[in-house]
Amino acid sequence: MSSVLALDMASGREDRFGSKYLISATQYGLNAEGPLGDAGNFIYSIRRSFLDLIFEANGLPFVPTYTDWNFIANYDVTPSDKLFILGIGAYDEVNRDQSSLEKRVFNAGIMDNSQNRWIGGLNYRHLLGNGYLDFTLSTNYTDFQFSQVDSGRVEYFRSTATEVENNLKLQHFWRLNNRM
């Protein structure tokens, strides 16, 4: 069994700069988009949780937080040469209030789970008469850190895993005839 996932990326505004502020029950953020010179555009988005305020208001001694962002840019170098840039990042962590014995006992049952993820890519596309040639350079970075401490603040479990993947890809797409 296999599957295919195809994503269509939106393009940013080309006429002027625009932005939108976001706020919801658990997060806030900013979206921005606009032109890059006369031949390109971008979209940028960032958001952060404010679960720390909600958890602290409810007296919970642990706080999961996250921040993530994404960026995409398109630029027409020439009528037949195009450049695409993509960046995605996320930072997640659990903060603990260890100020009292009661909070340390509560937190002893909760594993710290911090994660960092970054993805970046650059694609150069040259349009041909019957297709196009893509040259893509990308990197994926993931860092997981798990730990657990007892009520005496002694760490008794730790696991760290970091993965980095770099890719360089050249693809040629062509159309056999105008009907295909």
Side-chain angles (χ1 to χ4, degrees), residues 67-166:
T67 303
D68 56 47
W69 58 269
N70 59 68
F71 174 79
I72 186 168
N74 303 296
Y75 192 80
D76 294 339
V77 180
T78 70
S80 60
D81 296 297
K82 302 183 181 306
L83 188 62
F84 306 96
I85 300 170
L86 173 70
I88 302 171
Y91 177 71
D92 303 321
E93 66 180 348
V94 176
N95 295 317
R96 297 183 185 148
D97 178 1
Q98 302 282 57
S99 62
S100 70
L101 177 60
E102 180 184 3
K103 291 178 180 180
R104 289 193 302 272
V105 168
F106 185 89
N107 284 331
I110 299 171
M111 183 175 294
D112 178 23
N113 177 4
S114 296
Q115 302 177 28
N116 293 307
R117 294 184 176 159
W118 312 101
I119 299 168
L122 176 69
N123 177 267
Y124 167 77
R125 177 171 288 175
H126 179 71
L127 302 177
L128 305 168
N130 61 343
Y132 57 91
L133 184 67
D134 265 355
F135 175 78
T136 305
L137 176 64
S138 64
T139 186
N140 301 318
Y141 171 84
T142 304
D143 180 48
F144 296 102
Q145 296 183 19
F146 300 97
S147 69
Q148 199 152 5
V149 297
D150 63 18
S151 60
R153 298 182 186 170
V154 175
E155 183 178 69
Y156 63 89
F157 175 79
R158 172 173 289 281
S159 176
T160 301
T162 302
E163 299 174 13
V164 178
E165 176 185 19
N166 296 304

Side-chain angles (χ1 to χ4, degrees), residues 16-34:
R16 64 179 172 88
F17 180 80
S19 63
K20 176 172 57 171
Y21 299 96
L22 310 165
I23 190 162
S24 72
T26 59
Q27 67 187 0
Y28 61 93
L30 168 71
N31 293 344
E33 62 181 315

